[in-house]
């Protein structure tokens, strides 16, 4: 493996040292990957805490906002609780259809409101109440609130869920790619780079930086091919993060849910006479247990409770959201060029720097390294003088991860447009145990992005990752292979 000439290494020693150099380099790559995962862990944990606090604070304000509704609140607390429970499960990754969930909530609330307003002697069958609920779209008993609230809540929860899912997928890709073993050709090149100077009695001479760059760019050529889709995913996640502060902002949408519900029910109570008359025209008069014509039972309640149109979050809430978005965006930008910066980061640990480029190991002796530095990615390694690569045979594990990045980017784009994102039910995984994500005391502090030293190691969460449908992933891969 080493250049011909005087040597203190036997063939067996060279082989042993080659294996050592490969293990050491793979350990550095895994360490860098763990550092990257830790960065995503930190972002996930910070946003998850922020979002769940928003959600919980909104739920806690229910009683204050809805207590003026009297029995419509006290006798239906489980109905409002179910809504928040469904929203929470959706955010965590459950396969709920938000549109249907919200429509069902308003239908059930309409049934209960209509039943509460009916005279005591009027019997309302389940079929009749179902007919009443079906009038929601045509008669709009709650005014414009359900439609307006639905659009805003869906957009807020779709973007929030897709954002944390993007963090999960990014960490999972980093983990899998960082564990891809180095090739046999790379093993030979690493031996020549790292330990052949020892065999020539030049143990104190570090490799030339350009020489190291060519070796690492060849060894990590497949990893560098992630760069375009990786950057695209990071940029899209930054767009999603920025959308959180777009009017109406994330905190405003979540915090105003109780006030919007009160506004809708108050609107119905104010217009119950007209609504009931139209229901009688469509559904017929309900059956009565006694005698007398159906007459509306007065249960209108005037209150000075805060309405959604008057609701404004505190300046502190707006400032916290602004800081959250700024922190997410800046830290995501730090990761944009990770895969093409990885060879540079590795060489900063292995190669000489500064003005010592005339007195470094160039693969043959202690002298300047003359060949030019190759570009990034597999296609640019065709003339790499240090690593022999077949550029027609990309690593399929890494190609699969590139496909994962593309799929996630498309889902984030759909979320930005307000379209519900179809994830496999991942309510157990996304809570922090999947894809190297961790929460609470199970997470170590966030280290530097390129923390190679073993004492900086970050232990991720359990290895179980969030699974996208295997058929969805394998089909595009099959197409890709057939095209090749």
């Amino acid at each position: 493996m080493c250049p011909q000439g005087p040597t203190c290494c036997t063939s067996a020693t060279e082989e042993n040292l080659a294996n050592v150099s490969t293990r050491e380099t793979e350990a550095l790559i895994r360490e860098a990957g763990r550092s990257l995962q830790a960065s995503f862990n930190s972002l996930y944990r910070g946003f998850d805490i922020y979002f769940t606090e928003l959600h919980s604070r909104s739920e806690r304000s229910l009683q204050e906002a809805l207590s003026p509704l009297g029995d419509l609140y006290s006798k239906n607390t489980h109905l409002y609780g179910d809504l928040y429970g469904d929203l929470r499960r959706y955010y965590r990754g459950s396969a709920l259809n938000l549109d249907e969930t919200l429509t069902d909530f308003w239908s059930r609330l309409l049934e209960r409101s209509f039943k509460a307003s009916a005279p005591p002697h009027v019997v309302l069958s389940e079929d009749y109440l179902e007919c009443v609920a079906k009038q929601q779209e045509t008669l709009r008993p709650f005014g414009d609130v359900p439609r307006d609230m639905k659009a805003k809540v869906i957009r807020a929860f779709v973007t929030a869920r897709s954002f944390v899912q993007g963090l999960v997928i990014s960490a999972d890709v980093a983990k899998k790619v960082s564990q891809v073993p180095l090739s046999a050709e790379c093993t030979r090149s690493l031996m020549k780079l790292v330990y052949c100077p020892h065999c020539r009695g030049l143990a104190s001479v570090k490799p030339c930086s350009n020489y190291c760059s060519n070796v690492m760019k060849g060894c990590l050529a497949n990893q560098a091919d992630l760069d375009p889709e990786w950057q695209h995913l990071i940029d899209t996640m930054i767009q999603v993060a920025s959308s959180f502060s777009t009017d109406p902002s994330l905190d405003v949408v979540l915090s105003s849910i109780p006030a919007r519900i009160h506004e809708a029910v108050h609107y119905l109570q104010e217009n119950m006479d007209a609504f009931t008359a139209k229901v009688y025209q469509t559904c017929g008069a309900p059956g009565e247990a006694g005698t007398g014509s159906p007459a509306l039972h007065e249960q209108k309640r005037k209150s000075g409770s805060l309405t959604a149109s008057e609701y404004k979050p505190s300046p502190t809430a707006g400032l916290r959201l602004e800081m959250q978005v700024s922190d997410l965006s800046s830290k995501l930008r730090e990761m944009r060029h990770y895969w093409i910066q990885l060879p540079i980061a590795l060489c900063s640990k292995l190669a000489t720097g500064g003005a010592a480029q005339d007195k470094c190991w160039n693969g043959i002796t202690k002298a300047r390294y003359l060949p030019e530095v190759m570009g990034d990615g597999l296609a640019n390694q065709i003339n790499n003088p240090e690593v022999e690569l077949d550029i027609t045979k990309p690593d399929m594990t890494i190609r699969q991860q590139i496909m994962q990045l593309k799929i996630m980017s498309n889902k984030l784009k759909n979320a930005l447009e307000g379209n519900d994102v179809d994830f496999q039910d991942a309510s157990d995984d996304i809570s922090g145990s999947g894809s190297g994500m961790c929460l609470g005391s199970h997470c170590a502090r966030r280290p530097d992005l390129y923390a190679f030293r073993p004492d900086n190691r970050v232990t991720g969460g359990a290895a179980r990752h969030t699974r996208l449908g295997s058929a969805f992933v394998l089909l595009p891969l099959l197409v890709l292979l057939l095209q090749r």
Side-chain angles (χ1 to χ4, degrees):
M1 298 183 199
C2 294
Q4 296 298 311
T7 179
C8 56
C9 296
T10 63
S11 295
T13 302
E14 280 194 12
E15 186 173 343
N16 288 336
L17 289 174
N19 292 332
V20 170
S21 65
T22 298
R23 288 197 301 271
E24 290 177 340
T25 305
E26 287 179 341
L28 291 176
I29 294 169
R30 287 194 300 271
E31 193 67 38
R34 280 190 288 267
S35 178
L36 183 61
Q37 283 178 260
S39 297
F40 283 113
N41 285 343
S42 177
L43 293 181
Y44 176 93
R45 188 168 60 253
F47 180 79
D48 184 70
I49 290 172
Y50 170 76
F51 188 83
T52 52
E53 282 182 359
L54 272 184
H55 184 278
S56 298
R57 191 159 57 245
S58 176
E59 188 171 13
R60 286 195 300 270
S61 68
L62 268 172
Q63 183 174 0
E64 179 185 351
L66 301 185
S67 56
L69 298 178
D71 289 348
L72 270 179
Y73 171 69
S74 60
K75 292 183 178 180
N76 295 293
T77 53
H78 67 281
L79 176 62
Y80 307 113
D82 287 348
L83 173 63
Y84 275 90
D86 286 340
L87 292 176
R88 185 182 294 106
R89 283 189 291 275
Y90 176 85
Y91 166 71
R92 291 295 182 197
S94 294
L96 293 174
N97 184 305
L98 269 190
D99 190 289
E100 292 178 0
T101 297
L102 290 167
T103 298
D104 182 61
F105 165 76
W106 290 111
S107 296
R108 291 165 65 195
L109 184 58
L110 179 58
E111 288 179 14
R112 285 162 172 74
S113 301
F114 189 84
K115 191 173 183 179
S117 70
H121 60 274
V122 173
V123 177
L124 298 174
S125 66
E126 291 299 320
D127 288 342
Y128 192 85
L129 288 174
E130 185 178 343
C131 180
V132 172
K134 289 179 179 178
Q135 309 313 307
Q136 185 182 167
E137 281 299 317
T138 53
L139 300 182
R140 295 165 60 194
F142 295 114
D144 293 326
V145 173
R147 188 176 302 174
D148 181 63
M149 179 179 147
K150 180 188 290 186
K152 291 174 181 175
V153 167
I154 287 178
R155 188 179 191 89
F157 275 83
V158 165
T159 52
R161 183 171 84 153
S162 64
F163 182 76
V164 295
Q165 190 75 20
L167 296 175
V168 170
I169 293 298
S170 299
D172 190 48
V173 169
K175 177 183 176 181
K176 289 179 178 176
V177 173
S178 298
Q179 292 176 345
V180 172
L182 298 174
S183 65
E185 293 78 13
C186 183
T187 294
R188 296 180 62 87
S189 300
L190 287 171
M191 170 60 194
K192 186 178 174 184
L193 174 77
V194 179
Y195 285 114
C196 283
H198 294 246
C199 297
R200 297 294 293 271
L202 301 171
S204 62
V205 179
K206 283 191 170 185
C208 302
S209 58
N210 285 353
Y211 172 36
C212 181
S213 292
N214 274 342
V215 172
M216 293 302 175
K217 288 194 177 207
C219 288
L220 299 171
N222 282 283
Q223 286 84 339
D225 280 346
L226 274 89
D227 183 66
E229 286 302 327
W230 180 264
Q231 286 198 48
H232 187 211
L233 176 58
I234 294 293
D235 289 342
T236 310
M237 282 199 285
I238 291 172
Q239 280 184 273
V240 173
S242 299
S243 74
F244 295 148
S245 56
T246 303
D247 189 45
S249 62
L250 195 62
D251 57 336
V252 169
V253 172
L254 266 71
S255 302
S256 63
I257 290 175
R260 298 309 312 267
I261 295 172
H262 174 272
E263 181 183 352
V265 175
H266 187 69
Y267 180 91
L268 173 63
Q269 290 175 333
E270 290 292 308
N271 298 277
M272 186 62 86
D273 287 330
F275 174 69
T276 302
K278 292 178 180 177
V279 166
Y280 289 168
Q281 291 177 5
T282 305
C283 302
E288 297 181 61
T291 57
S293 58
L296 181 64
H297 177 63
E298 282 292 328
Q299 197 173 350
K300 297 179 182 177
R301 292 178 180 267
K302 307 278 187 180
S303 77
S305 180
L306 190 69
T307 65
S309 60
E310 298 167 344
Y311 175 81
K312 286 184 175 63
S314 68
T316 305
L319 180 62
R320 188 180 176 193
L321 176 59
E322 185 179 333
M323 292 175 63
Q324 185 76 26
V325 171
S326 176
D327 184 60
L328 289 168
S329 300
S330 63
K331 288 178 179 175
L332 283 169
R333 286 190 185 96
E334 292 176 11
M335 309 178 202
R336 284 185 80 245
H337 302 288
Y338 175 85
W339 298 107
I340 58 174
Q341 288 177 344
L342 184 56
I344 300 170
L346 293 171
C347 286
S348 71
K349 304 292 181 181
L350 299 173
T352 188
Q357 297 305 312
D358 288 326
K359 300 177 182 179
C360 51
W361 174 251
N362 65 6
I364 300 174
T365 187
K366 182 180 177 181
R368 177 175 289 273
Y369 182 75
L370 299 177
E372 65 176 340
V373 177
M374 298 293 101
D376 300 302
L378 191 59
N380 286 318
Q381 307 311 310
I382 189 169
N383 294 317
N384 192 321
E386 308 305 335
V387 186
E388 293 183 12
L389 289 172
D390 185 349
I391 64 170
T392 65
K393 294 181 179 179
D395 183 274
M396 294 313 299
T397 298
I398 292 177
R399 284 299 181 268
Q400 184 180 9
Q401 298 312 304
I402 291 173
M403 189 60 65
Q404 292 277 37
L405 296 175
K406 288 182 178 180
I407 292 169
M408 192 64 241
S409 293
N410 287 333
K411 291 186 174 183
L412 285 164
K413 286 180 181 177
N414 282 329
L416 278 171
E417 294 171 3
N419 299 324
D420 201 351
V421 183
D422 180 24
F423 290 119
Q424 180 178 333
D425 194 324
S427 53
D428 293 331
D429 293 331
I430 201 172
S431 61
S433 60
S435 305
M437 284 297 175
C438 54
L439 289 174
S441 61
H442 299 291
C443 273
R445 64 180 177 83
R446 177 181 179 268
D448 294 333
L449 187 57
Y450 301 121
F452 295 130
R453 297 187 302 278
D455 57 333
N456 280 342
R457 179 165 301 184
V458 175
T459 304
R464 184 160 50 92
H465 57 73
T466 305
R467 298 172 295 275
L468 294 174
S470 58
F472 188 41
V473 175
L474 293 176
L475 183 58
L477 282 175
L478 181 60
V479 174
L480 183 65
L481 288 171
L482 290 174
Q483 288 176 341
R484 287 187 174 277

